[in-house]
Amino acid sequence: MIFIAVKFTVRPEYADTWLERTAEFTRATRAEEGNLFYDWSRSVDDPNQFVLLEGFASQEAGAAHVGSDHFKAAMESMSELIASTPEIIHTEIPGSSWSEMGELSPKG
């Protein structure tokens, strides 16, 4: 699996509408054949920061994502909304999904 984590720092005037502004791109990416997950989170410490976790089934699926029209359009529109260049972690890991955490489970 290709695992990607990206930190976006958004201009303050766009922070409250970031998820709405990226919703079409999110939907299109989730519909891609090789997409395993594509999930946004907002920082509890910095309301202008969002973290995106993405998973793709293969290098080819990741390349198709980056080559897609919706990716190119999103990069163009996001460039006007961000305050700094996003930070990224991009790596290939074994597996094809999330695993359960062994150290914690619900009681009862």
Side-chain angles (χ1 to χ4, degrees), residues 14-100:
Y14 299 118
D16 287 338
T17 59
W18 175 257
L19 294 175
E20 179 183 323
R21 291 171 180 268
T22 59
E24 183 178 327
F25 177 51
T26 298
R27 279 190 297 275
T29 300
R30 287 177 177 166
E32 292 175 14
E33 185 175 332
N35 180 257
L36 302 173
F37 54 87
Y38 193 87
D39 298 315
W40 290 101
S41 296
R42 192 172 193 175
S43 171
V44 296
D45 297 320
D46 180 350
N48 300 325
Q49 191 172 79
F50 294 81
V51 174
L52 174 62
L53 299 180
E54 329 176 40
F56 293 93
S58 63
Q59 290 284 351
E60 294 78 18
H65 169 64
V66 172
S68 70
D69 289 341
H70 58 267
F71 181 88
K72 294 171 188 170
M75 296 305 100
E76 180 65 30
S77 65
M78 286 179 177
S79 69
E80 298 177 13
L81 308 176
I82 58 174
S84 61
T85 301
E87 299 173 81
I88 188 169
I89 297 170
H90 179 279
T91 189
E92 190 167 350
I93 60 175
S96 61
S97 186
W98 292 89
S99 300
E100 288 187 348

Side-chain angles (χ1 to χ4, degrees), residues 100-105:
E100 288 187 348
M101 183 177 173
E103 298 83 5
L104 182 64
S105 59

